[in-house]
Amino acid sequence: MSALSPEALVALDGIADHQRQRTSRIASVLGNRLGASALDYAVAHHLLEGAEHAARARDADRLAWYRRTTVRDLTHLSAGPHIVLSPRPADLLRSEISETAYYLVGPDTAPAPPEAHRLVRAALASATEHGFGTLLTQHAPVICLLNRRRLDETLHSWALTRLPGTVFTDYTAHPEVLARDLVHEAAHHWLNDALTAHDVSLPTDVTFFSPWRGTPRPVFGFLHACWAFSLTVLYARQARCSATGAMVPFLDAHLRQQESQFASVSESLPEALSYVSAAVVRDHVSRALRRVVRPA
């Protein structure tokens, strides 16, 4: 494994142990027998959140489902080490603490259509070909496809800290686009797990201007953007080498845009990274950024 390969960039001691310990604690709270895989980790958070919703609604049957269900009960939703979901917009939830929409696996969750599974398989194959298979297996095992878009339309994707391992994303007919967005959101989950596993606390009163948001952001959000977009650049560079048709100008435009964004933050990166107290996490993020940053 090359020291600068994508696999090496995300191979960090402590994350797997953190995931297993967290899954074990949730299993203990629910009283069920979850396993120790990355998929178990992601599903555990769906079950915990769903159980809380059911308890608040005093829905005993639904609560019982969330307490007894394991990954083995969800094979009808899975594609290998991933679960693929395709909920209706009306099924999305919003919480009191966040307006960001999300979806929870439940007893009434239907399998995603075959075309969704085909698209996800092709996207995962592309990501794996270019070195990001491990990242997506470990940090995007639950994939929630939302709205189908054209290439010229805005694509929205996001990840929630309380549902680690789950990615919510719009998509097109092109697997490379989905792969790019899965890499981006999985990178957010990776960084959250890395910071937690290594007990890193970032200050909330220090900000840096983020060209991706067009506004100053706290260190946490700034570094998240830098890390996630750096991995999408590394993926897009590789995918561009074999791209054909509409993917060529699409990936070229993405790379040009990101080159400009990274050039504008290059002088801020050393200070922002200095707040990451764990040297091993700081080193992984720094190595990725060194591969993409172009001085202004």
Side-chain angles (χ1 to χ4, degrees):
M1 183 187 297
S2 166
L4 289 179
S5 68
E7 292 93 341
L9 289 175
V10 301
L12 181 65
D13 289 342
I15 287 182
D17 285 342
H18 158 69
Q19 291 188 346
R20 284 191 292 267
Q21 291 167 8
R22 174 68 177 166
T23 304
S24 178
R25 287 197 293 269
I26 292 175
S28 179
V29 168
L30 295 174
N32 70 9
R33 297 190 173 207
L34 290 165
S37 71
L39 181 56
D40 284 284
Y41 174 64
V43 167
H45 289 81
H46 280 254
L47 300 178
L48 183 64
E49 183 92 4
E52 181 180 352
H53 279 243
R56 290 182 183 276
R58 299 175 184 253
D59 188 332
D61 290 340
R62 200 169 184 87
L63 176 60
W65 186 91
Y66 279 111
R67 294 193 63 185
R68 69 171 181 267
T69 295
T70 68
V71 168
R72 292 186 298 275
D73 301 309
L74 302 175
T75 55
H76 62 296
L77 306 176
S78 65
H82 296 263
I83 281 177
V84 181
L85 306 174
S86 188
R88 300 171 303 169
D91 294 329
L92 297 181
L93 306 170
R94 285 175 173 80
S95 78
E96 296 175 356
I97 61 174
S98 173
E99 278 299 304
T100 304
Y102 64 102
Y103 177 78
L104 297 174
V105 171
D108 46 1
T109 298
E115 56 267 27
H117 281 271
R118 285 193 293 269
L119 177 64
V120 168
R121 282 196 297 268
L124 294 174
S126 178
T128 299
E129 177 186 356
H130 300 304
F132 291 91
T134 298
L135 175 71
L136 298 192
T137 298
Q138 296 299 315
H139 299 281
V142 178
I143 298 168
C144 191
L145 299 181
L146 300 173
N147 305 295
R148 177 160 176 163
R149 305 292 191 191
R150 300 188 312 267
L151 269 182
D152 61 343
E153 292 184 301
T154 300
L155 296 167
H156 298 285
S157 67
W158 61 89
L160 282 70
T161 55
R162 68 181 183 279
L163 289 179
T166 296
V167 170
F168 299 89
T169 184
D170 292 340
Y171 62 99
T172 71
H174 302 272
E176 297 90 347
V177 179
L178 179 56
R180 180 201 65 169
D181 294 339
L182 292 178
V183 166
H184 182 94
E185 301 305 337
H188 285 306
H189 286 314
W190 182 95
L191 187 55
N192 285 335
D193 281 350
L195 294 173
T196 301
H198 290 271
D199 298 316
V200 176
S201 295
L202 298 172
T204 58
D205 58 345
V206 178
T207 63
F208 296 90
F209 183 80
S210 170
W212 295 282
R213 291 285 184 89
T215 186
R217 298 198 70 197
V219 181
F220 180 82
F222 177 77
L223 288 177
H224 257 283
C226 292
W227 165 252
F229 279 108
S230 71
L231 294 195
T232 67
V233 166
L234 296 180
Y235 167 77
R237 283 179 183 170
Q238 293 299 314
R240 171 62 178 81
C241 295
S242 56
T244 59
M247 277 297 91
V248 174
F250 181 88
L251 292 173
D252 283 343
H254 177 71
L255 290 169
R256 284 194 303 271
Q257 179 191 52
Q258 295 309 312
E259 182 175 356
S260 172
Q261 308 285 51
F262 276 107
S264 72
V265 301
S266 59
E267 293 185 1
S268 302
L269 290 174
E271 182 184 352
L273 286 165
S274 72
Y275 292 102
V276 181
S277 56
V280 65
V281 178
R282 188 169 63 248
D283 178 63
H284 279 255
V285 176
S286 297
R287 282 189 289 161
L289 293 173
R290 284 197 297 269
R291 293 186 60 182
V292 302
V293 169
R294 299 289 185 268

